[in-house]
């Protein structure tokens, strides 16, 4: 459903570790970290290949096949879409979508990014605020099945335009402003507890560490996912779909492992 720079971010981390290892070639901890990261990169590359396999040109067909949606469920989702499309022109805007899932309109740029990532290469931009049912179903499906780590990668990719695994400190602050327009107090206190990189840019590794140390920084993105799930068929429905998706992905990864004769586990063979 999507193509982020997962392996790209990891490759940047890998390069950083290799530079450290070149200065300390006998460090056993560094060597182990490099080997584990190498295996994680390969696992992620395989998962990226899985995501792009058999992509249907019709977003409704693709999302329906991907989620294994039956006709009854599809009718229910379309009825939800019609609730948003109050003028009945078969299009909705990002602003309308945002209000429907009970989120402040300050999150519209992030929601636009979700739609853009879910349909890369399409001529119509979500900035046009013309979202048909197919693109809405596809973007909603993608985001509702994301793990917390994938949501973090999605946030980072808003300003990592070229997939280099780095964003400017100023862009990081713009992200915090977008997610915390009404609640700047906790964010301000958090900013006092850490120093932004002196070179003016931060890597995805630094970005992820900040998130783990201060989980409220990007909590609004996780809350957005929860609200969308509630509005579109309910949280339990998405949890069931996610379990089926994870089971299917595990089966496909195992097929790749057998084909290549290697283990894709980030911890290696037991």
């Amino acid at each position: 459903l999507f193509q982020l720079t997962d392996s790209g971010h990891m490759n940047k981390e890998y390069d950083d570790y290799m530079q450290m290892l070149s200065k300390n070639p006998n460090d056993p901890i560094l060597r182990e970290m490099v080997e584990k990261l190498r295996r994680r990169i390969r696992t992620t590359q395989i998962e990226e290949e899985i995501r792009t396999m058999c992509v249907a040109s019709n977003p409704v067909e693709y999302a329906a096949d991907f989620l294994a949606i039956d006709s009854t469920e599809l009718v229910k989702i379309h009825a939800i879409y019609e609730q948003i499309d109050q003028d009945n022109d078969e299009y909705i805007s990002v602003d309308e979508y945002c209000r429907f899932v009970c989120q402040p309109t300050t999150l519209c740029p992030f929601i636009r990014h979700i739609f853009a990532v879910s349909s890369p290469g399409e001529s119509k931009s979500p900035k046009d605020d013309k979202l048909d049912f197919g693109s809405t179903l596809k973007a909603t499906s993608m985001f509702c099945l994301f793990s917390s780590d994938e949501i973090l990668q999605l946030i980072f990719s808003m300003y990592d335009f070229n997939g280099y695994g780095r964003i400017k400190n100023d862009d990081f602050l713009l992200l915090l402003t977008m997610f915390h327009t009404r609640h700047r107090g906790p964010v301000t206190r958090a900013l006092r507890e850490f120093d932004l990189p002196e070179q003016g840019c931060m890597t995805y590794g630094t970005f992820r560490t900040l998130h783990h140390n201060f989980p409220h920084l990007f909590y609004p993105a996780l809350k957005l996912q929860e609200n969308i799930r509630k509005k579109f068929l309910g949280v339990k429905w998405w949890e069931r779909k996610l379990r089926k998706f994870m089971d299917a992905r595990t089966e496909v990864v195992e097929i790749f492992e057998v084909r290549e004769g290697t283990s894709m586990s980030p911890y290696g063979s037991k």
Side-chain angles (χ1 to χ4, degrees):
L1 273 175
F2 66 101
Q3 182 66 41
L4 289 177
T5 54
D6 304 21
S7 59
H9 289 151
M10 291 183 185
N11 280 322
K12 296 298 180 183
E13 289 186 56
Y14 183 80
D15 291 341
D16 291 340
Y17 280 132
M18 288 301 293
Q19 289 182 7
M20 296 168 61
L21 189 60
S22 66
K23 298 176 182 178
N24 301 278
N26 297 319
D27 189 319
I29 296 177
L30 271 177
R31 293 177 69 88
E32 182 180 0
M33 292 173 66
V34 167
E35 182 59 23
K36 284 185 177 180
L37 186 56
R38 185 191 65 78
R39 288 194 290 265
R40 283 178 54 208
I41 290 172
R42 182 57 185 142
T43 302
T44 303
Q45 288 172 337
I46 288 177
E47 292 178 348
E48 289 172 352
E49 292 175 11
I50 295 169
R51 293 171 186 147
T52 57
M53 290 170 61
C54 304
V55 177
S57 58
N58 185 312
V60 176
E61 293 178 0
Y62 180 39
D65 289 343
F66 184 80
L67 291 173
I69 298 175
D70 60 33
S71 58
T72 301
E73 292 171 323
L74 192 60
V75 168
K76 289 180 180 179
I77 296 175
H78 194 273
I80 296 169
Y81 178 84
E82 289 179 333
Q83 293 178 38
I84 310 174
D85 180 25
Q86 296 186 0
D87 56 4
N88 299 315
D89 66 348
E90 298 185 357
Y91 290 100
I92 64 172
S93 68
V94 171
D95 187 77
E96 288 172 331
Y97 187 95
C98 193
R99 291 200 303 270
F100 179 74
V101 296
C102 304
Q103 294 297 293
T105 54
T106 50
L107 284 186
C108 281
F110 181 55
I111 292 177
R112 284 192 179 92
H113 186 60
I114 294 171
F115 276 86
V117 170
S118 70
S119 301
E122 291 191 1
S123 58
K124 185 177 290 295
S125 167
K127 292 181 180 179
D128 298 333
D129 272 0
K130 290 288 187 178
L131 309 174
D132 61 18
F133 175 63
S135 61
T136 301
L137 176 59
K138 191 175 181 181
T140 299
S141 301
M142 176 198 77
F143 188 63
C144 285
L145 291 179
F146 269 6
S147 66
S148 58
D149 283 342
E150 287 170 327
I151 291 177
L152 191 66
Q153 292 162 10
L154 182 67
I155 295 169
F156 189 83
S157 70
M158 282 190 70
Y159 288 103
D160 183 22
F161 305 112
N162 298 311
Y164 291 156
R166 288 177 172 80
I167 63 172
K168 297 178 181 178
N169 291 348
D170 289 344
D171 292 334
F172 171 74
L173 296 177
L174 286 176
L175 287 171
L176 295 187
T177 300
M178 178 182 68
F179 283 116
H180 297 279
T181 303
R182 299 178 182 177
H183 306 285
R184 296 185 178 181
V187 176
T188 301
R189 288 194 293 272
L191 287 172
R192 292 172 183 164
E193 296 184 37
F194 60 80
D195 296 322
L196 296 180
E198 295 181 358
Q199 62 270 34
C201 292
M202 69 171 61
T203 64
Y204 180 69
T206 300
F207 184 81
R208 184 177 56 199
T209 298
L210 290 174
H211 166 69
H212 289 317
N213 291 341
F214 305 96
H216 63 275
L217 292 181
F218 299 112
Y219 171 75
L222 301 177
K223 182 65 176 177
L224 171 63
Q225 183 192 58
E226 181 184 4
N227 280 21
I228 293 175
R229 286 176 170 178
K230 286 179 179 178
K231 288 289 189 176
F232 286 86
L233 300 183
V235 173
K236 290 185 178 180
W237 187 88
W238 287 104
E239 288 177 346
R240 289 195 299 271
K241 292 296 180 182
L242 181 59
R243 285 195 294 270
K244 291 181 179 180
F245 169 73
M246 294 301 295
D247 289 343
R249 185 166 67 173
T250 298
E251 290 180 6
V252 175
V253 170
E254 288 175 352
I255 291 173
F256 273 88
E257 289 178 355
V258 172
R259 183 178 300 173
E260 297 196 3
T262 58
S263 172
M264 293 298 108
S265 168
Y267 301 102
S269 302
K270 294 183 179 180

